[in-house]
Amino acid sequence: MNALDLILWVAAPYVALTVFVLGHVWRYRYDKFGWTTRSSQMYESRLLRVGSPLFHFGLLVVILGHVGGLVIPKSWTEAVGVTEEAYHVVAVVLGTVAGVCTLAGLAILVYRRRTVGPVFTATTRNDKLMYAVLVLVIVLGLAATVAANIIGGGYDYRSTISPWFRSVFAFQPKAELMAGAPPLFQAHALSALVLFAIWPFTRLVHMLTAPLGYLTRPYIVYRGRDDRPGSHPGRPSRGWEPSNRP
């Protein structure tokens, strides 16, 4: 290894993770009103109905596949009877299909954002950067899968990249494992680090929240006024009955 390997596979992951965590804390504390998807559905819905499900469901499968491949050690799957060959086939097939769906959905969303005037007007510089990095991450991931497992003779990332990934969170980074990985896998990992670093400052923050408060929040109470224009004197208008709740 050399100094560049230490920068890329030891320092860079911790910088990206630090920015990811502290960036979300800062965003939530100082920009709560900006913590939103900034939905543009009211401007255009036809393309959105196709692109959004493709992108989100494909991305969900991709994320689950990465969690299973990077977090779960090979010995665990073998212990429950899943052979490495079976795992490899399922991972490559599902990963390729999910990656293609995610990229197709993202292409539709980018096309929509560029060609629909109101949507393009509402697009910020952060949005453009986010889309560019997302496309780069997905394309590099698909390219690495195709080059290593379909065109090439296969690459067992669970023996190198996965242990490196876990070693980062164990605060014992094994940079030598990533230093020997194929260039496409290295590029995919670095682009993912860039994505995590810019994540807190984009609309991607909505992925870390869920509207659970809507399940328990009280009803919104509307009360009428006697002097309201158009109301009938002596009785409230329909839909404006006084509430007995305090």
Side-chain angles (χ1 to χ4, degrees):
M1 289 193 305
N2 52 42
L4 181 60
D5 292 328
L6 295 177
I7 293 174
L8 295 180
W9 313 121
V10 178
Y14 288 116
V15 171
L17 289 173
T18 301
V19 174
F20 181 84
V21 174
L22 296 183
H24 279 92
V25 173
W26 174 87
R27 181 83 179 268
Y28 186 78
R29 185 170 182 179
Y30 296 104
D31 188 29
K32 287 185 179 180
F33 287 106
W35 194 293
T36 173
T37 61
R38 298 181 64 249
S39 175
S40 58
Q41 184 177 3
M42 62 181 296
Y43 301 132
E44 195 279 339
S45 59
R46 183 176 60 87
L47 291 172
L48 188 65
R49 283 197 299 266
V50 178
S52 183
L54 268 177
F55 173 73
H56 284 91
F57 285 113
L59 185 62
L60 178 61
V61 176
V62 169
I63 293 174
L64 292 176
H66 278 69
V67 170
L70 296 177
V71 177
I72 301 177
K74 183 192 300 187
S75 58
W76 290 19
T77 54
E78 292 177 345
V80 297
V82 180
T83 64
E84 182 61 22
E85 182 179 358
Y87 178 92
H88 179 76
V89 171
V90 173
V92 171
V93 173
L94 285 182
T96 302
V97 173
V100 170
C101 290
T102 305
L103 187 60
L106 185 58
I108 295 173
L109 294 178
V110 172
Y111 172 80
R112 169 182 176 270
R113 189 161 290 276
R114 184 64 185 84
T115 58
V116 179
V119 180
F120 181 72
T121 303
T123 304
T124 65
R125 292 180 179 178
N126 280 358
D127 291 334
K128 296 176 182 178
L129 176 62
M130 177 200 70
Y131 280 116
V133 176
L134 268 175
V135 170
L136 181 63
V137 173
I138 297 170
V139 168
L140 286 174
L142 277 174
T145 300
V146 171
N149 299 294
I150 298 179
I151 297 177
Y155 176 69
D156 186 12
Y157 67 90
R158 301 179 78 197
S159 298
T160 54
I161 299 175
S162 298
W164 166 79
F165 180 84
R166 295 191 295 269
S167 71
V168 170
F169 290 92
F171 297 102
Q172 295 178 343
K174 300 178 181 179
E176 66 277 4
L177 296 177
M178 277 301 297
L184 276 176
F185 284 89
Q186 292 180 338
H188 178 56
L190 289 175
S191 63
L193 292 179
V194 174
L195 178 62
F196 281 111
I198 68 171
W199 188 304
F201 314 104
T202 67
R203 66 177 63 199
L204 291 176
V205 292
H206 78 276
M207 294 181 63
L208 302 180
T209 56
L212 300 179
Y214 284 94
L215 301 176
T216 57
R217 73 174 186 176
Y219 292 106
I220 299 176
V221 179
Y222 295 93
R223 291 182 173 87
R225 296 179 180 178
D226 292 339
D227 57 350
R228 181 172 178 269
S231 62
H232 295 282
R235 65 183 180 84
S237 302
R238 184 179 179 183
W240 292 86
E241 288 80 5
S243 173
N244 295 324
R245 297 182 64 179

